[in-house]
Amino acid sequence: MLPNAADLGFFPRLSPSFSRYDPGFLAGTSMASPHVAAVAALLYSQGITNPAAIEAAIKRFARDLGAPGRDDEFGYGLVDARAALRGMGVVR
Amino acid sequence: VKRATGVALIGLLVCAVETQAQTNLGFRGYVTFGPTYLSATETFDAVAGKSSENGIGFGGSLDNIWEGLFIDVGLSKLKIDGERVFVFEGTVFPLDIPLTIEMRPIDVIVGWRHTAGRWRPYGGGGISLTHYTERSPFAESGDDVDVNEMGLAFLGGVDFTATPWLGIGAEVRYRRITGILGAGGVSQEFGEDQLGGVSFAARVSVGRLIPPAVPSRAPAPAAEPRPPVRAAPLPQRPAPAPAGPIPVPYPAGQTTVAWQWLTDSAIHDAADVAPSLDLNDSTPRGFSVTTTANYRPWFGATTEITASFWTGEAVDLIQRWTLMVGPTFIARQNRVRPFGQVLVGAAYSRGGIPDLGLSFEGWDFALQPGGGVEVAMSPRLGLRASIDGRLLSDEALSGKTTTQWRFTLGVTFFHGGF
């Protein structure tokens, strides 16, 4: 049986463990933009390929936070991937 | 509202049963089948790719409660399959999530039906209680829709009484339902808040369609045996009075099919805005079908359907349809008979003028007083010409009241007994 790379000492031997990761609070556009980008990619995969339409969908279905409508603290609110991908029916 | 409607219905039924012995009450059950054209065209075009669908219906009617008065309760079902969408600046993006829409209106209509002859026109108005549902997969609480809303319904049509117990006919039904659309979803994006529309249907009726005798038109002497009901009953001539003026014979009903020309103030306004488009190079024209049930020599109830179309190089087929009802007064002393009438109802308009960026569609209130002259060529055939002034609320096109002058020339068929 051939040794693997870890057995030969090329890599430190690590076992998966959640205790190795500490919860932390991170904020700002660096954290927000990947979430928004992911939702944008999902909308694109649904056939909404117009960038302006993708932006409109993300804003339209965001969960409003803080003052009603857009505000400087929360922007348009919390991105809601499910609502954006589900779109609209006739009444809702 | 449901309780009040139920109490009113029970009251009418009790009155009807109590008067049956005196007035020869008729009753019928019926089925209908035909297309419904929904008012919210842009909304349903977006989610289903169409704004009309065939539907079935059934119901029952108590006829001749008093002088031709009937009460009709009908239930119909309309199902449309589409998909959820996203709308951005008028562009629709389908999202591949199925959407099933169902409408089940229950209409309670009170109206008048002509009670003699084989052709029996009828018309009326009432309420419509509509059950509306909207379902899609992966729905969570609050995603689907299940609501009831009350609205208005108007009905007009004609039955051909094939036998005393079987009738076939055609009818037009208009419903106006607010309170369901317009508050969210695609309907809000397109600013459409009317769920109703126009339904055209073929109708087959089974029941006691021909009362053995109709006291108001043909009182039968009590001492004489009543003649058997025939397949093609001829209404009896009203009993002549022993003294006084000779009764004027008049047809039980009459139908006029006419060609019509119109002037339209909204079109003239558009032509003034854009003189280079030569919008006045053509005149709206179309047809009308007018049916009158004559209750007296000088008085009848009229139902009228009209359609006018305006075409031109700069016009994207502007069409206006109307469905109106009202009284008609006519002087029948001679072959040349002047008449006047006042009709009210609904108008449906759609079309556009692309060069003006104008595209419109919607329902409006219509009022049409007018009159003309009818010339009897034979007992069954006549010619008719009329001039009407029509007012449309015209929120669809101009946003203000539109005045139309209408000229018609047509052929009149007198049907039923005299």
Side-chain angles (χ1 to χ4, degrees):
Chain A
M1 182 177 176
L2 294 174
N4 61 28
D7 293 334
L8 295 173
F10 289 107
F11 303 105
R13 192 181 191 88
L14 294 174
S15 299
S17 172
F18 286 107
S19 62
R20 191 169 294 115
Y21 304 100
D22 295 325
F25 179 81
L26 298 168
T29 52
S30 304
M31 294 297 106
S33 57
H35 289 83
V36 174
V39 175
L42 288 169
L43 289 169
Y44 190 94
S45 70
Q46 283 288 91
I48 306 178
T49 55
N50 180 345
I54 290 173
E55 180 182 347
I58 292 171
K59 291 176 180 175
R60 165 74 171 74
F61 294 104
R63 222 175 293 169
D64 195 16
L65 299 173
R70 190 203 171 282
D71 60 81
D72 290 341
E73 187 174 3
F74 294 100
Y76 285 92
L78 181 66
V79 170
D80 189 335
R82 181 183 184 277
L85 291 169
R86 191 169 169 76
M88 293 182 278
V90 171
V91 174
R92 288 178 188 155
Chain B
V1 173
K2 290 180 191 173
R3 185 175 299 171
T5 305
V7 169
L9 277 176
I10 291 171
L12 281 170
L13 288 173
V14 169
C15 291
V17 171
E18 286 181 349
T19 54
Q20 179 176 7
Q22 305 162 18
T23 60
N24 294 300
L25 191 69
F27 56 87
R28 69 181 64 210
Y30 63 82
V31 294
T32 61
F33 178 80
T36 293
Y37 295 86
L38 295 161
S39 301
T41 51
E42 288 185 287
T43 296
F44 287 98
D45 278 342
V47 299
K50 59 186 176 182
S51 59
S52 64
E53 184 59 282
N54 288 320
I56 59 171
F58 61 90
S61 172
L62 283 173
D63 299 335
N64 202 29
I65 295 171
W66 177 77
E67 294 279 354
L69 181 75
F70 73 81
I71 180 167
D72 181 299
V73 180
L75 169 66
S76 56
K77 177 183 176 183
L78 195 68
K79 181 181 177 185
I80 297 176
D81 291 317
E83 61 183 301
R84 298 180 72 88
V85 300
F86 175 63
V87 179
F88 174 66
E89 293 182 347
T91 303
V92 177
F93 298 92
L95 297 176
D96 283 335
I97 300 175
L99 180 69
T100 302
I101 302 155
E102 285 191 11
M103 285 166 265
R104 290 193 182 90
I106 300 173
D107 301 332
V108 180
I109 305 278
V110 176
W112 281 265
R113 178 191 303 279
H114 196 64
T115 56
R118 285 193 154 199
W119 291 95
R120 300 189 171 190
Y122 58 93
I127 58 172
S128 179
L129 177 64
T130 296
H131 181 214
Y132 175 89
T133 62
E134 197 177 305
R135 302 187 195 288
S136 53
F138 321 116
E140 293 184 346
S141 175
D143 284 346
D144 286 341
V145 180
D146 190 331
V147 293
N148 293 297
E149 195 63 52
M150 190 80 80
L152 298 174
F154 298 95
L155 173 68
V158 62
D159 274 330
F160 175 72
T161 309
T163 75
W165 54 269
L166 175 66
I168 55 176
E171 69 176 32
V172 180
R173 197 178 286 246
Y174 167 65
R175 299 184 187 90
R176 182 180 176 85
I177 313 291
T178 57
I180 295 178
L181 304 190
V186 179
S187 58
Q188 186 183 38
E189 293 290 323
F190 287 115
E192 294 179 317
D193 62 357
Q194 298 292 335
L195 179 59
V198 179
S199 301
F200 300 91
R203 170 161 148 160
V204 178
S205 302
V206 177
R208 189 181 183 229
L209 308 187
I210 301 178
V214 182
S216 62
R217 292 184 61 84
E224 295 182 7
R226 178 176 294 168
V229 176
R230 294 174 296 177
L234 292 175
Q236 300 171 34
R237 186 186 301 274
I246 299 172
V248 178
Y250 62 99
Q254 58 190 82
T255 298
T256 301
V257 180
W259 192 245
Q260 65 175 12
W261 300 262
L262 298 98
T263 67
D264 190 308
S265 64
I267 292 173
H268 291 313
D269 289 347
D272 291 341
V273 171
S276 61
L277 295 180
D278 289 333
L279 294 175
N280 280 326
D281 65 345
S282 64
T283 303
R285 62 193 68 184
F287 64 88
S288 67
V289 179
T290 310
T291 297
T292 301
N294 295 314
Y295 292 96
R296 295 290 183 273
W298 50 271
F299 171 72
T302 293
T303 301
E304 182 177 87
I305 298 172
T306 76
S308 62
F309 307 95
W310 181 39
T311 58
E313 290 187 5
V315 175
D316 185 12
L317 184 58
I318 295 177
Q319 49 182 302
R320 292 188 190 272
W321 294 75
T322 65
L323 170 61
M324 289 181 284
V325 297
T328 295
F329 303 91
I330 184 167
R332 296 184 187 275
Q333 279 74 14
N334 302 300
R335 291 165 62 93
V336 180
R337 303 160 180 170
F339 69 92
Q341 60 190 18
V342 179
L343 306 182
V344 297
Y348 170 75
S349 306
R350 74 179 300 178
I353 304 175
D355 289 341
L356 297 180
L358 180 64
S359 177
F360 63 92
E361 178 171 29
W363 286 91
D364 301 297
F365 174 77
L367 171 68
Q368 180 186 292
V373 66
E374 174 183 296
V375 181
M377 309 298 289
S378 76
R380 292 293 178 192
L381 191 66
L383 299 177
R384 186 183 251 213
S386 69
I387 301 175
D388 306 283
R390 184 192 286 168
L391 298 175
L392 304 175
S393 57
D394 212 11
E395 293 296 324
L397 173 55
S398 64
K400 60 183 181 181
T401 301
T402 290
T403 304
Q404 292 183 323
W405 288 100
R406 189 179 75 121
F407 307 91
T408 73
L409 185 61
V411 179
T412 299
F413 304 93
F414 303 111
H415 41 81
F418 285 82

